[in-house]
Amino acid sequence: MKLRYDLHSHSTASDGTLSPRDLVMRARAQGVDVLALTDHDTTDGLAEAAQAAAESGLQLVSGVEISVTWNQHLVHLVGLRVNPAHGPLQTGLADLRARRDGRAEEIGRRLTRSGIPGAFEGARVYAGGGVVSRTHFARFLIEQGRSRDMREAFDRYLAPGKPGYVSTVWAPLEEAVAWIRGAEGVAVIAHPARYKLTGTRLRQLIGEFKECGGEGIEVVSGSHSRNDCQTMADYAARFDLLASCGSDYHGPETPWMELGRLPDLPPGCTPVWERWAGQDDSFPAQALAF
Ligand code: AMP
Ligand code: MN
Ligand code: MN
Ligand code: MN
C-alpha cells in the first residue's frame, strides 16, 4: 500500500497553532501515515507528538527545522530522523533560541519606536513559552488591528527593510548539517524556491550543502508551485540528492493548506524515505526524555 507522507510541519513548540498532540491527531484524520514534526530550532514538541503517534498508529519522524545564514541569506534546513539526544544538536539549537530571544527583544524595541508598543510582550504571549518567531509578532500585529493578515504583517513590519526587521546571524550551513548528521539524521534543504535566489546562487547553495554532507532537498513543498517542484526534481537528479515532501503546515488558520495534501514526487526522484527502509524506528521513544 502506498503510504501518505508529510515531512514538514509545526506545532506550538514553535510557530504552529496546534499542540503536538493535536497536530498528530489531525494528520491521522487527514490520512497521513508518516508525519515529521519539524519545529523551528527546537525538538521540544517531539515527546508529546511521539506519545500521540503511538496511540493513533501514525509513524512520527523526529525532525527539526534549523535557521541558517548562508551568504547573508536566511535558509532553512530540515533534519529528519534526528536523534534528539545528540548533545551538539541540542547545544546548537539552544544557541539559536538564545539568538531568537535577543532578536525578539530588539524587534519589540523597534516596533515601539515605530509607535507600536507592547509587541515583545504580545508576541511572547502568542509563543506560549515556546520558541519566539516573527509569526508571533505577526499575530500580535493582526490582533492590534495593525495588519489585516499574516502577509500584510510581514510586508509592512517584519520583512527585510521594514521597521520591525532585525537582521540576525543564524547557524553556518556546515555546522547545521554537522549537527543533523551527528544526530544520525538526514539534512534536507527546506522549500528551496522560497529563497528567491537566482539559479546560479541556488546551485551554489545546493553544491555547498552537498559538499558538507547534506543529502536531501524538498522537491514537493506546500509553498512550491508545480513548476518549482519540477525545477527542484531536476536539481535533485543533477546533484544526486534524495527528494522530500512536506506541507510546512502551521495550523488550521490557513485553510488552503492542509496536512498530507501534497502532489506525488515527480518521476525519477528517489524519496528520502527509501534511505530509511529497514532501519528501526527508535528515536521517537528516546525523544521522550528531551
Ligand atoms: P522567523 O523564523 O522567526 O524568522 O519567522 C519565520 C516564519 O515566519 C516562517 O517560518 C514562516 O512561518 C513565517 N513567514 C515568513 N514570511 C512570511 C510571510 N510573508 N507570510 C506569512 N508567514 C511568513
Ligand atoms: Mn514557521
Ligand atoms: Mn521554513
Ligand atoms: Mn517550516
Side-chain angles (χ1 to χ4, degrees):
M1 197 194 69
K2 197 173 134 199
L3 298 180
R4 193 182 287 247
Y5 288 83
D6 191 330
L7 299 180
H8 187 153
S9 68
H10 296 274
S11 75
T12 47
S14 65
D15 60 351
T17 58
L18 295 181
S19 68
R21 165 169 295 276
D22 289 347
L23 179 79
V24 166
M25 293 307 176
R26 187 180 184 105
R28 198 73 195 112
Q30 294 294 332
V32 173
D33 299 294
V34 184
L35 175 77
L37 175 61
T38 55
D39 275 310
H40 296 287
D41 305 323
T42 183
T43 60
D44 282 356
L46 290 175
E48 184 184 317
Q51 184 79 43
E55 289 166 25
S56 67
L58 177 141
Q59 190 186 330
L60 182 78
V61 170
S62 54
V64 64
E65 182 171 18
I66 302 181
S67 309
V68 163
T69 298
W70 176 78
N71 284 339
Q72 277 148 50
H73 296 284
L74 171 64
V75 169
H76 284 168
L77 294 191
V78 161
L80 296 176
R81 282 183 70 112
V82 291
N83 178 359
H86 182 58
L89 172 67
Q90 289 303 336
T91 306
L93 296 180
D95 177 52
L96 291 174
R97 293 195 298 273
R99 289 174 200 218
R100 280 182 173 277
D101 290 342
R103 178 186 69 155
E105 287 182 39
E106 182 59 21
I107 292 174
R109 281 192 287 272
R110 292 196 192 185
L111 288 174
T112 299
R113 284 202 293 273
S114 307
I116 304 176
F120 174 65
E121 294 74 16
R124 280 207 356 181
V125 170
Y126 277 105
V131 165
V132 187
S133 157
R134 280 183 291 164
T135 315
H136 302 114
F137 282 93
R139 291 187 187 129
F140 170 80
L141 290 164
I142 295 165
E143 167 206 294
Q144 295 289 303
R146 302 281 183 170
S147 307
R148 271 174 311 193
D149 54 27
M150 280 279 177
R151 168 172 289 228
E152 198 178 274
F154 275 86
D155 288 353
R156 275 201 191 165
Y157 297 106
L158 300 169
K162 303 300 164 162
Y165 182 74
V166 175
S167 167
T168 310
V169 177
W170 305 108
L173 181 68
E174 59 275 25
E175 283 189 22
V177 172
W179 300 336
I180 293 168
R181 285 176 64 92
E184 301 152 72
V186 178
V188 172
I189 299 178
H191 43 62
R194 275 253 298 267
Y195 308 128
K196 306 282 175 242
L197 298 171
T198 62
T200 308
R201 292 295 267 171
L202 183 55
R203 287 188 291 276
Q204 187 190 348
L205 167 64
I206 297 171
E208 290 182 20
F209 169 74
K210 170 107 187 167
E211 262 173 44
C212 54
E215 292 178 272
I217 182 170
E218 271 181 3
V219 167
V220 168
S221 160
S223 54
H224 280 177
S225 68
R226 188 189 282 262
N227 196 41
D228 293 333
C229 294
Q230 191 52 57
T231 305
M232 299 313 155
D234 293 343
Y235 284 142
R238 175 167 166 181
F239 287 89
D240 190 25
L241 289 168
L242 300 164
S244 189
C245 71
S247 60
D248 204 2
Y249 185 79
H250 281 73
E253 295 74 18
T254 52
W256 59 90
M257 171 74 71
E258 187 50 84
L259 287 158
R261 295 274 166 283
L262 295 162
D264 288 342
L265 290 169
C269 288
T270 306
V272 64
W273 49 88
E274 285 193 6
R275 170 88 153 53
W276 310 326
Q279 290 183 7
D280 83 4
D281 190 31
S282 52
F283 293 144
Q286 290 179 26
L288 293 170
F290 284 82

